[in-house]
Amino acid sequence: MDDINRPTWEDVAHRYGRKIYNFAYRLTGNPDDAADLVQEVLLRVRKGLERYEPGSFEGWLWRITRNAFLDDIRREKRRPTSPLPEGDHGHLGSSPSPDEVLAAVRLSDDVQSALLKLPYDFREAVVLCDVVGLTYDEIAEATDIPVGTVRSRIHRGRKMLREMLTWPL
Amino acid sequence: MAAVTPDPDRFVVLSAYLDGELADGELDMVIGMLSDDPEAAAEFRRIRDMKRLLRALPTVEPPGWLLDVEHYGDRLSAYLDGELPTEEVTSIVHHLTTCRVCREELHDLDRSRIAVRALPGLDAPRFVPPPGPRPSASSEPERRRPHRLRPRPIAAATIGLVAVLALLSILSPSASDPTITMSDLEARHIARVSIEPGFNVLPASVEAVDP
């Protein structure tokens, strides 16, 4: 990417900010942590844009996002699988049917709660695929793992989620 | 999609099928599984429904201060230099309380500014121009060359001296006499100095003898 086509960090914030925020929110379940992560990513993008080599911009951006998230976990010793606040557990498995729960905010809470219980590697793969919308190749590039592993993690992650959500689908 | 190694879980291809990520040749395998294997068909429905749920997760809107704001970019330098109107300064200060990226950009700008301002002042080089208009190259007086000995006149004088001495030694009555008298020395001296132009070739004693 040459200087003419290289975006500024403001461009990145405008174009990808919401995606990064949603990725972070689905991984952490915490709006404050998600906002912190967005700012950390934008800081790293601002510093890294000058050294950015031509290639997949989204792969580069999501690698930065993932590294920022993992660094934050390591720094804060804060695992996103920490227990949820009281009241978030009670309705797991309480929804009567998929169609009804799809329309309810409560369903997203259930799915979010189940996501947070997934081991990180599986959660990350599922979120990048189903929330962010990356392809398997893009996920492999962002996470630096083989595409076969990506495929396996996504599938196993979905299976684990399905097993956690006990209401009938 | 790139080729992948077979997964021990044979249903992995079902997720890849849902995501449009099958490798070459896997589509027929999936179609066969779904039509012939009830367990695979049931697994497929479960995975499909789970994927639907995940895709149905609502987009979470970030707080307004995070993204839906104007960043200040180039105006941060003007802010540092106190060159902005008061109302804009107020809005920048407010923005800086929440925007880490602009705060860092401001710090970087400030560090650069401090570095430039901390450069040491340099004294002007001491150079005093000569009074009056500088003479042109053509009007500059010709420099005198340093005095140098000229080798050619010296060599000629030496040769002449040797020739005179040889002639005297031949014409002299005491040529065969190795004894050197004072008159000989004087004559030789006159002969030596006579080659120097403007020199009084005759000593006083000679003048007194000759009428």
Side-chain angles (χ1 to χ4, degrees):
Chain A
M1 187 179 289
D2 54 33
D3 285 343
I4 295 172
N5 295 324
R6 178 177 290 147
T8 64
W9 70 265
E10 289 100 330
D11 296 335
V12 176
H14 178 70
R15 186 170 172 188
Y16 296 99
R18 277 174 176 74
K19 275 190 176 181
I20 296 170
Y21 181 81
N22 274 266
F23 167 79
Y25 180 80
R26 294 303 174 197
L27 289 183
T28 64
N30 183 314
D32 293 335
D33 289 346
D36 284 348
L37 184 79
V38 171
Q39 295 227 17
E40 180 62 28
V41 169
L42 293 178
L43 282 172
R44 294 186 186 202
V45 164
R46 176 179 165 268
K47 286 180 179 173
L49 273 175
E50 289 298 320
R51 297 185 302 275
Y52 170 70
E53 297 292 332
S56 166
F57 181 78
E58 293 211 16
W60 176 79
L61 176 64
W62 288 108
R63 200 159 49 246
I64 287 179
T65 302
R66 177 178 187 261
N67 289 338
F69 180 75
L70 293 177
D71 288 349
D72 189 51
I73 290 174
R74 282 190 283 266
R75 188 169 51 247
E76 301 290 336
K77 304 290 185 190
R78 180 181 61 218
R79 299 300 302 182
T81 51
S82 57
L84 293 165
E86 280 301 317
D88 282 354
H89 298 282
H91 46 265
L92 266 178
S94 62
S95 302
S97 73
D99 289 340
E100 288 175 15
V101 289
L102 272 171
V105 175
R106 202 166 162 174
L107 172 66
S108 66
D109 290 345
D110 289 348
V111 176
Q112 178 68 51
S113 299
L115 267 176
L116 294 180
K117 291 176 183 172
L118 278 184
Y120 174 75
D121 290 340
F122 298 93
R123 188 181 348 143
E124 176 187 64
V126 168
V127 169
L128 285 174
C129 179
D130 287 329
V131 175
V132 180
L134 299 187
T135 66
Y136 287 9
D137 284 336
E138 287 170 337
I139 296 170
E141 185 182 356
T143 56
D144 200 24
I145 58 175
V147 72
T149 307
V150 170
R151 190 153 94 150
S152 175
R153 285 183 182 176
I154 289 171
H155 179 69
R156 291 175 61 192
R158 285 174 180 158
K159 280 184 68 173
M160 283 188 263
L161 284 173
R162 178 64 189 87
E163 289 159 8
M164 288 181 210
L165 297 169
T166 54
W167 29 258
L169 287 178
Chain B
M1 195 185 81
V4 294
T5 53
D7 195 281
D9 185 343
R10 66 191 181 101
F11 292 148
V12 162
V13 290
L14 299 178
S15 270
Y17 172 65
L18 280 169
D19 295 328
E21 297 275 359
L22 287 176
D24 293 340
E26 287 183 332
L27 181 59
D28 291 341
M29 183 174 67
V30 171
I31 292 172
M33 286 170 70
L34 293 178
S35 59
D36 302 336
D37 185 346
E39 188 187 353
E43 176 78 352
F44 175 77
R45 283 192 295 274
R46 286 191 289 269
I47 296 299
R48 181 196 60 197
D49 292 342
M50 192 65 246
K51 180 177 169 68
R52 281 179 181 166
L53 284 175
L54 288 165
R55 288 282 169 114
L57 283 172
T59 299
V60 185
E61 277 302 308
W65 57 263
L66 185 62
L67 299 173
D68 299 331
V69 293
E70 181 189 17
H71 297 284
Y72 285 88
D74 297 344
R75 280 172 292 169
L76 290 175
S77 274
Y79 166 76
L80 274 176
D81 295 330
E83 297 284 349
L84 290 180
T86 306
E87 58 272 21
E88 196 163 10
V89 169
T90 304
S91 64
I92 285 182
V93 169
H94 178 71
H95 176 73
L96 289 172
T97 60
T98 55
C99 183
R100 285 174 59 197
V101 192
C102 281
R103 274 207 305 272
E104 181 151 314
E105 186 150 343
L106 184 73
H107 287 149
D108 286 350
L109 288 170
D110 195 31
R111 278 192 286 270
S112 300
R113 200 176 70 130
I114 289 170
V116 172
R117 292 186 174 194
L119 286 173
L122 298 177
D123 291 332
R126 290 183 177 275
F127 172 72
V128 181
R134 187 176 179 177
S136 64
S138 58
S139 63
E140 205 168 90
E142 187 181 352
R143 286 186 177 179
R144 293 187 62 184
R145 289 183 179 176
H147 179 71
R148 292 178 64 189
L149 294 174
R150 296 179 180 180
R152 281 188 180 176
I154 292 174
T158 306
I159 293 169
L161 177 61
V162 170
V164 168
L165 288 175
L167 182 63
L168 286 174
S169 64
I170 293 169
L171 298 179
S172 171
S174 58
S176 57
D177 187 355
T179 306
I180 299 174
T181 63
M182 283 303 292
S183 59
D184 288 338
L185 285 175
E186 188 180 41
R188 290 176 186 180
H189 172 74
I190 290 169
R192 183 177 67 82
V193 300
S194 66
I195 61 172
E196 296 287 342
F199 190 79
N200 185 7
V201 293
L202 294 173
S205 57
V206 173
E207 286 176 356
V209 172
D210 292 339

